[in-house]
């Protein structure tokens, strides 16, 4: 018996919507993480997303993580 389904780490549906046009608010690199804070969306690259994740998750109403794409295109 084989299975092709792979559970995601956080259980979220992987729906990619960030593009090369979306840039990290901290360094300008391509954004892979989007967090909604106080009604506005903040974008972060994988590096800064991880760096600020702990603080952001405490205040963010939504958390969108596409860093899985990084390993796919490695
Ligand atoms: Zn960055």
């Amino acid at each position: 018996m084989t299975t092709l389904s792979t559970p995601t780490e956080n259980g979220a549906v992987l729906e990619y919507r960030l593009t090369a046009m979306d840039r990290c608010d901290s360094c300008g690199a391509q954004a892979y993480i989007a967090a909604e804070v106080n009604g506005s969306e903040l974008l972060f690259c994988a590096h800064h997303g991880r760096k600020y994740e702990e603080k952001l998750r405490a205040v963010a109403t939504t958390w969108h993580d596409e860093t899985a794409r990084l390993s796919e295109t490695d």
Side-chain angles (χ1 to χ4, degrees):
M1 180 175 171
T2 58
T3 177
L4 296 175
S5 62
T6 305
T8 59
E9 288 183 20
N10 55 14
V13 177
L14 289 177
E15 181 182 324
Y16 300 146
R17 60 179 176 83
L18 296 175
T19 71
M21 298 296 291
D22 294 304
R23 294 290 163 176
C24 174
D25 288 340
S26 292
C27 70
Q30 185 170 345
Y32 286 95
I33 291 175
E36 188 177 320
V37 179
N38 293 329
S40 60
E41 188 172 63
L42 304 176
L43 299 176
F44 296 100
C45 65
H47 172 76
H48 285 110
R50 291 285 170 260
K51 183 176 181 180
Y52 301 132
E53 181 172 1
E54 192 174 342
K55 288 182 180 177
L56 280 170
R57 278 187 183 273
V59 295
T61 51
T62 65
W63 183 264
H64 182 76
D65 187 333
E66 295 188 9
T67 54
R69 291 164 62 191
L70 291 170
S71 54
E72 287 180 1
T73 56
D74 190 10

